[in-house]
Amino acid sequence: MPSQHAILAPSASKRWMTCTPSARQEAKYPSKDSVFSREGTIAHALAEFTLNYFLEEKAVYVPEFEVFQKRMRQENPSLLLDLTVQCTDEGFDFWDIFEIVYNNYVTIVYEDFLNVKKEFEDAELLVEAELNLKSYIPESFGSSDAVLIYGEILKVYDLKFGQGVKVEAENNTQMLCYALGALLGPAELNGIDTVQMTIIQPRLQHISSWSISADKLIQWATYELKPAALKAFNGEGEYVPGDHCKFCRIAPRCRACALRATILAESNSEPSELTDEELADLLYKLESIKNWTSKVEEYALQQAVSGHAIPGWKVVEGRSISKIQDQQSAMADLFSAGFEKDLVCKPVELKGITDLKKILRPKGFEELLGKYVVKPQGKPTLAPVSDKRPEMNNIEGDFNNVIL
Ligand code: SF4
């Protein structure tokens, strides 16, 4: 996997295409990795290793992870040893990550390849395929997790290991960039007609695919991507706040975000009521404003704690709750004082589903406990009409059993 970052990375394309000056501004701040990004890097390394392992015919593909795991335990390849040590240092469960990646990404991509191979003998599966975006995005480089080329079809796969939000492939600029880079790169000579983009989020049980013709992809790249990329590369254009600010490194100090939040605060102080349309517009904006305000607080606290004073603010000790430190001794004293266990101790409680799945592995969990799992109805939540979930129907009484 590439460790360097391009100024205009496809993964941030939504941001720099919408707010073109952001890329140059962000480049002034170092990018920080997080526990989530480090876990994602390990997951990607395992995905790459495993797909190549089968492609290089080091062993016959098996769909069962347990069989593959046994083989790996015997072979102990050096990369896996390194990753195991990394996982131990980080407190990650190596085999847990490997099983998730194997069952929910490797099998999908590799079985797609095997199926296609039956009809197209010269089908090619490329792992970490190098992208060619240079005629549309200045100084851009990168690779796609997996690319499958057969006949006039190009398929691009993207593994997202995080547990945040579900991401859809439709009109996703990051996926469009990957597709374009693969179309002009490894698939350049294949006369591709259709491009399919697939996002796989194993830990959210989410797969999203979307297709576009190669002609439309080039049109998008020519009329939307390239002009925005040139502006972004030159640091030109307007600052435009929105949902895309979520991971922007300058967000806590962004004047455009601050101005937008202030304008909303002022409009709220008007004596007249908001119309339904204004309320709808406000709801769209509030999510990203809430996200931004918590970033500002977090950033300012970090600055203050590290000695950079924020005028009019100081660091104080937050509230804390008293607790009994030595629970065993406290219990012993209570029992010797004649108190019954049931009276002073909490009842024994089963661990959560995530922890139990780690202990039993997903298959064992399903076999042993699947029959006890229920999913209670969720509370009504407002979502934009574009949300994939079906609408709850008040008339038929969907809200009857829910407490707001
Ligand atoms: S935080 Fe500011 S600079 Fe970054 S994308 Fe949002 S508006 Fe643009």
Side-chain angles (χ1 to χ4, degrees):
M1 288 191 71
S3 52
Q4 255 188 307
H5 292 287
I7 288 200
L8 302 181
S11 56
S13 53
K14 171 80 179 151
R15 183 158 68 244
W16 55 253
M17 284 184 75
T18 317
C19 175
T20 48
S22 63
R24 284 284 168 193
Q25 290 299 326
E26 271 201 282
K28 295 178 188 166
Y29 293 80
S31 74
K32 287 188 203 151
D33 66 352
S34 65
V35 66
F36 306 111
S37 62
R38 290 194 291 276
E39 193 182 37
T41 305
I42 292 170
H44 277 83
L46 289 170
E48 181 183 356
F49 164 84
T50 315
L51 285 172
N52 279 330
Y53 186 82
F54 293 128
L55 286 170
E56 289 162 12
E57 297 181 348
K58 291 193 179 142
V60 178
Y61 167 73
V62 282
E64 301 82 15
F65 178 70
E66 292 77 7
V67 180
F68 178 77
Q69 184 183 30
K70 210 168 155 190
R71 199 186 283 163
M72 285 299 111
R73 281 192 197 276
Q74 283 160 4
E75 288 184 19
N76 258 340
S78 58
L79 173 80
L80 295 195
L81 279 176
D82 290 350
L83 292 177
T84 315
V85 173
Q86 215 177 316
C87 282
T88 313
D89 291 348
E90 296 274 5
F92 302 147
D93 182 331
F94 173 79
W95 288 111
D96 186 44
I97 297 179
F98 209 165
E99 184 173 14
I100 295 170
V101 168
Y102 195 91
N103 286 340
N104 304 282
Y105 174 76
V106 171
T107 52
I108 294 169
V109 175
Y110 202 72
E111 285 180 19
D112 257 9
F113 171 60
L114 292 180
N115 283 334
V116 160
K117 263 268 192 215
K118 289 176 197 158
E119 205 184 325
F120 298 87
E121 246 183 59
D122 58 351
E124 259 193 298
L125 176 64
L126 305 167
V127 183
E128 289 297 330
E130 209 173 306
L131 303 172
N132 175 8
L133 287 159
K134 57 181 185 291
S135 27
Y136 291 88
I137 308 177
E139 291 183 15
S140 182
F141 58 89
S143 59
S144 163
D145 294 340
V147 164
L148 178 57
I149 306 165
Y150 60 96
E152 293 174 349
I153 311 277
L154 165 67
K155 286 189 176 182
V156 178
Y157 300 86
D158 188 43
L159 165 67
K160 294 192 186 298
F161 198 67
Q163 299 191 75
V165 286
K166 290 181 180 171
V167 184
E168 304 302 331
E170 188 172 349
N171 288 318
N172 181 308
T173 59
Q174 179 185 6
M175 294 308 291
L176 286 164
C177 286
Y178 287 160
L180 180 73
L183 184 71
L184 304 176
E188 194 191 1
L189 304 175
N190 289 70
I192 297 295
D193 177 64
T194 307
V195 184
Q196 189 191 73
M197 292 149 270
T198 299
I199 295 173
I200 303 177
Q201 295 180 278
R203 295 201 290 181
L204 297 176
Q205 307 282 314
H206 182 65
I207 299 177
S208 172
S209 288
W210 187 62
S211 297
I212 186 172
S213 72
D215 287 348
K216 280 209 169 133
L217 178 60
I218 296 289
Q219 267 178 33
W220 170 81
T222 309
Y223 298 111
E224 294 184 48
L225 177 67
K226 190 170 180 175
L230 289 177
K231 263 192 190 175
F233 191 73
N234 295 326
E236 296 165 355
E238 299 281 314
Y239 286 92
V240 181
D243 290 344
H244 52 273
C245 299
K246 199 169 180 185
F247 298 110
C248 180
R249 294 202 286 279
I250 68 157
R253 281 201 178 266
C254 178
R255 191 174 294 278
C257 287
L259 278 171
R260 185 172 71 150
T262 318
I263 287 164
L264 282 178
E266 282 167 3
S267 75
N268 271 341
S269 66
E270 290 286 319
S272 60
E273 289 182 6
L274 292 175
T275 64
D276 282 353
E277 286 70 26
E278 284 171 325
L279 189 62
D281 186 46
L282 190 59
L283 284 168
Y284 274 114
K285 290 173 180 161
L286 275 185
E287 208 42 51
S288 66
I289 290 177
K290 278 193 276 182
N291 182 284
W292 173 75
T293 52
S294 52
K295 265 191 190 327
V296 174
E297 284 171 347
E298 203 180 294
Y299 171 81
L301 176 63
Q302 241 174 34
Q303 293 279 299
V305 167
S306 59
H308 180 105
I310 310 286
W313 291 82
K314 63 180 177 183
V315 180
V316 295
E317 192 180 326
R319 269 188 221 143
S320 77
I321 298 167
S322 310
K323 62 176 185 183
I324 293 175
Q325 195 152 10
D326 184 350
Q327 298 231 345
Q328 294 303 326
S329 303
M331 274 194 273
D333 285 357
L334 281 166
F335 299 154
S336 5
F339 289 95
E340 293 290 323
K341 191 176 175 187
D342 286 354
L343 187 67
V344 293
C345 293
K346 280 186 188 168
V348 177
E349 201 183 330
L350 206 55
K351 286 189 171 176
I353 290 180
T354 312
D355 287 336
L356 289 169
K357 275 187 180 170
K358 275 190 184 165
I359 297 165
L360 304 171
R361 301 278 171 221
K363 205 170 153 206
F365 176 89
E366 203 43 52
E367 278 169 16
L368 206 63
L369 300 178
K371 57 182 176 286
Y372 299 116
V373 177
V374 287
K375 197 169 185 308
Q377 186 168 34
K379 279 185 184 178
T381 304
L382 263 184
V385 280
S386 56
D387 192 283
K388 297 276 175 198
R389 288 167 290 183
E391 186 170 8
M392 287 178 93
N393 188 347
N394 193 18
I395 297 161
E396 288 180 13
D398 276 2
F399 300 164
N400 288 352
N401 302 321
V402 225
I403 302 160
L404 283 171

